[in-house]
Structures are given as structure tokens and as C-alpha cells.
Amino acid sequence: MTNRGRLSAPGELTGPGSLDGGPGHLRDSGSQDNGGPATASAAALAPEPGAIYLADTGLSADEPLSEYASRHNLVPASARPSALKYLRSLWQRRQFITGFATASNVAMYSEARLGQLWQVLTPLLNAAVYFLIFGVLLHISRGVPDYITFLVTGIFVFNFTQRVCITSSVVMRDNLPLIRALPFPRGCLPLGYVVIELQQLLLSFCVLFVIILAYGEPFTWYWFLILPVLALQTLFNVGCAFILARWGSGFDDVSQLLPFVIRTWMYASGVIFSITTSLALVPSQSLYFHKHLAYLLQINPAAVYITLIRNSLLTSQRISMPGYHPFNALKCAMYGNPAKFHIPSDVFANKVIYYSSYCKPIVTQQALWGYAVGWAVVAAVVGFFFFWWAETRYGRG
């Protein structure tokens, strides 16, 4: 033990010395100081560090720490903020979210030779496979005008929601080092992955526009309706991302089960075939006799956004939508059962295929817009509060 000095009087510290003469005495250069009050060790007289800290902060000896924290507006660092404060903190970090998304997009295909082209090639290859199986081999395309543009549009739109759901289910576990190293609202991570997929969708839509124009679809003002539809779909995807991010942070099984759920959802959303015309208006199809099931399929969120975007981009889909023309029982029957009226295949493909617009709609166009808004708002609100409620749990596993 080294001795830096001694106290010869209250508040006075002399030069270096050594301990001698029993407890409480200090010698200076080998001599004992007998004058003044009894001397004591500097270490013994020094106040404890905790006492110094509390004294500097103005905390009285009998004041509880909880009252002191309340008086100075102090809150626990790990406490969950209020929902409004949490929402403001997410908005304040919007540049971090977009920067994180852009950097992730650039790095995603950095090791592949084709790079960012895979963002477009992946849905195009999926569309080619589905067209070969369902359009050529199984003839699902019958009753759907301009089936290729119908199929590609559906795959591109559904792929947006599909990728958001799958990536969000693992986002919290994949970013555990970041969560544990930095204090920030954890909602930035699922939001960042929604922005990633939105950026990829916008790039894919540039290719989709080229395909649509190449197949003879005219450019009309209806194309601008995709902007509010995509905004609503993005809001819906944000809600899904929040919900799946929380589930995925606690259960690894979510990411394993989700691809099967998403695939079933795709078949039920009219991506490959039309659930508004060919499956619902043709007597030989199962949905013709189950109107309630057809109604549920048509109002599911993925089907709503796909149908609205198809009707905005594709004139052939818009003018063949049931309810586009006043109801005509004869023309509707001719569409549903062309063999009964001995309609040649070329006449059906060029003319009668559009007679589905004379049938009564199961879900009207106006109702689809209502459901689009409703799904977006409900998903975003429920997803936000569901994720925010567990804010303090992320990264503790």
C-alpha cells in the first residue's frame, strides 16, 4: 500500500510519508507528528465515491431515488416510450431508414455477375414458369384477355408483399448485433426492409411498363391510379412487417412456416387466374356455386391491390371487369358457357371474352377501393401498436 501524504490538521495534507506508530498516525519523512488534532489516514477520511456523486447532484440523504428521478424528468433507459413519442422518433430517423435501405439494396446482389438485374429477372423468370405451366399446359388462361400482361402484373404486385413478409420475419434476428450495440427505435429495421422492397418494385415496374406497351396496351390516365394503390399497398406491407418482425423475433418457426402460407395466399389471390371472371362466372368452375367464398377471395388484401393495379394498367382487364357495362343476362351467359351458344374459339377470344363485363359483379370497383383503404389503415395501426408494445424485448434473446 502506498501513501501519498498525511493529514496534520483538518483539511491540510502534507508531503509524502509512511504509516507508523499505530492506527491513525502518519509520519512525514520518517518523523511522527504529535501536534494538533489526532491524525488519520487520508483514505479513511475521504468520502465514498457514491456520497460525492449524490452530493454533487443535490440529492438529500433522505430523498428516495424515485422522487429525485421524477423531479428531474429522468426515465429508465430501457423503458418503452409512449406511442406518439415512438412515432416521432421513427420520423426523425427517416434518413437512416432510407440510407439503410439504399445501402442494403446495393449490397444485396454485389457478388452476382448480373448484379441488380436479378431484381427484375427473378419475377420475370417466375412469370415465365407460371405461364408455361398454367397458361400453356393447363390452359388456365382461357377466359382472361391478354393473359401474359395479366400474369406478369399480378406476379410483380404480389412479389412486393411476399418479399416484405418473408424478410421481415427474420429482420430482428439477422440484426441482433446492431440492436444490441446501438440505441434506436427498433421499428426502423422492418421499415427499412419495406423501403428496400419498394425500391425494387419501382425498378421492376419500369420493366413492366415496357412489357405492357410492347403487347399493345395504350398509355391512359388510368395509369396514374397505380400511385394511390401502391401507397395503400405499402402502408399495408408496413403493418405486415411490424407484425411478422415481432413474431419472428421470438419464434424461429415463423420464418420456416411462412413460405408455405405465402404460397397458399398467392393461389388464393388471383395471381395466376382470375377470381373475378373465369372462376366466378363460369358454371363449370367451383366458385360459380359458392358466391360467399368468391366474395372472401376477392376482398383479401393481396387480391384487392392486384385487381386495382391491373384495372389501372390494363385496358383489357378494366373493360372486362364485371359491372363495367349494365347487366345483360344473355351476354353474360355467352361468356360463361360459349359451347352452349356454339361460339367459335376465335370469336370468343376476340369478342365474347369481354362479355364478362355484362355480368353482375361480386365485389364492385368502388368496394375494392374501400377495402384497399381499410386493409391499409387496419394493418398499419394494428401492426404499429403490436410491434411497439414489445419494444424493450428485442435483442434480449
Side-chain angles (χ1 to χ4, degrees):
M1 175 178 177
T2 60
N3 179 29
R4 298 289 183 181
R6 65 183 177 86
L7 292 171
S8 59
E12 296 180 7
L13 180 66
T14 64
S18 59
L19 288 171
D20 192 15
H25 290 79
L26 285 168
R27 288 183 59 102
D28 182 15
S29 301
S31 62
Q32 182 176 356
D33 186 6
N34 296 322
T39 59
S41 169
L45 294 180
E48 296 181 0
I52 295 176
Y53 173 77
L54 295 178
D56 292 343
T57 58
L59 176 64
S60 61
D62 57 346
E63 183 180 11
L65 291 176
S66 59
E67 295 182 4
Y68 176 81
S70 177
R71 180 159 55 90
H72 291 274
N73 297 322
L74 301 177
V75 296
S78 60
R80 181 181 65 245
S82 65
L84 185 59
K85 184 178 180 181
Y86 189 74
L87 192 61
R88 284 198 300 265
S89 65
L90 288 176
W91 173 252
Q92 291 169 355
R93 289 164 176 81
R94 60 190 181 278
Q95 294 181 348
F96 164 75
I97 295 173
T98 55
F100 172 78
T102 303
S104 299
N105 251 332
V106 173
M108 189 173 298
Y109 299 101
S110 58
E111 298 182 0
R113 289 183 178 272
L114 297 181
Q116 301 298 315
L117 286 177
W118 281 111
Q119 297 181 10
V120 180
L121 289 177
T122 300
L124 282 179
L125 291 175
N126 286 334
V129 172
Y130 290 137
F131 174 73
L132 175 64
I133 296 175
F134 296 97
V136 177
L137 299 180
L138 300 180
H139 301 288
I140 298 295
S141 59
R142 181 172 177 82
V144 180
D146 297 332
Y147 181 71
I148 292 181
T149 54
F150 169 91
L151 177 63
V152 174
T153 303
I155 290 178
F156 274 52
V157 176
F158 185 81
N159 192 61
F160 179 30
T161 298
Q162 175 184 8
R163 288 180 59 88
V164 165
C165 292
I166 292 177
T167 56
S168 297
S169 65
V170 297
V171 63
M172 307 307 291
R173 288 186 285 111
D174 287 351
N175 291 277
L176 274 180
L178 181 63
I179 293 174
R180 293 171 175 173
L182 297 175
F184 65 96
R186 310 314 186 198
C188 293
L189 293 176
L191 285 175
Y193 277 80
V194 173
V195 176
I196 290 175
E197 300 306 331
L198 179 61
Q199 292 176 348
Q200 294 189 6
L201 177 72
L202 296 178
L203 179 60
S204 300
F205 262 52
C206 295
V207 179
L208 177 62
F209 294 153
V210 174
I211 295 175
I212 291 174
L213 293 174
Y215 272 86
E217 285 285 348
F219 176 81
T220 65
W221 69 269
Y222 285 98
W223 282 36
F224 294 102
L225 291 177
I226 69 172
L227 298 177
V229 179
L230 287 180
L232 293 172
Q233 186 184 9
T234 302
L235 192 60
F236 171 79
N237 289 350
V238 167
C240 293
F242 278 139
I243 294 173
L244 291 171
R246 176 177 172 179
W247 279 345
S249 67
F251 305 99
D252 294 346
D253 298 336
V254 173
S255 59
Q256 303 299 324
L257 181 63
L258 195 59
F260 301 98
V261 177
I262 294 293
R263 188 172 302 171
T264 305
W265 191 15
M266 182 189 70
Y267 290 131
S269 300
V271 174
I272 300 171
F273 38 75
S274 175
I275 58 177
T276 59
T277 57
S278 57
L279 290 188
L281 303 178
V282 178
S284 61
Q285 301 296 333
S286 58
L287 290 182
Y288 182 84
F289 300 102
H290 300 86
K291 300 299 182 183
H292 294 293
L293 178 59
Y295 182 87
L296 293 176
L297 292 179
Q298 292 183 27
I299 66 171
N300 97 74
V304 168
Y305 298 123
I306 291 173
T307 302
L308 289 176
I309 291 182
R310 279 172 174 163
N311 292 345
S312 301
L313 294 177
L314 308 176
T315 303
S316 58
Q317 293 301 313
R318 186 170 58 255
I319 65 176
S320 63
M321 183 77 175
Y324 185 81
H325 289 116
F327 176 69
N328 187 308
L330 177 60
K331 290 185 176 181
C332 182
M334 292 174 65
Y335 171 82
N337 194 355
K340 179 180 178 180
F341 295 91
H342 306 288
I343 299 175
S345 58
D346 58 333
V347 175
F348 179 85
N350 296 320
K351 183 178 180 180
V352 179
I353 195 172
Y354 297 100
Y355 282 5
S356 57
S357 59
Y358 292 95
C359 299
K360 292 181 179 180
I362 296 177
V363 181
T364 64
Q365 183 80 357
Q366 293 79 6
L368 287 175
W369 280 100
Y371 279 113
V373 175
W375 280 120
V377 173
V378 170
V381 172
V382 173
F384 171 79
F385 282 101
F386 184 71
F387 184 89
W388 161 79
W389 191 258
E391 173 69 12
T392 58
R393 305 179 196 170
Y394 304 123
R396 293 188 175 184

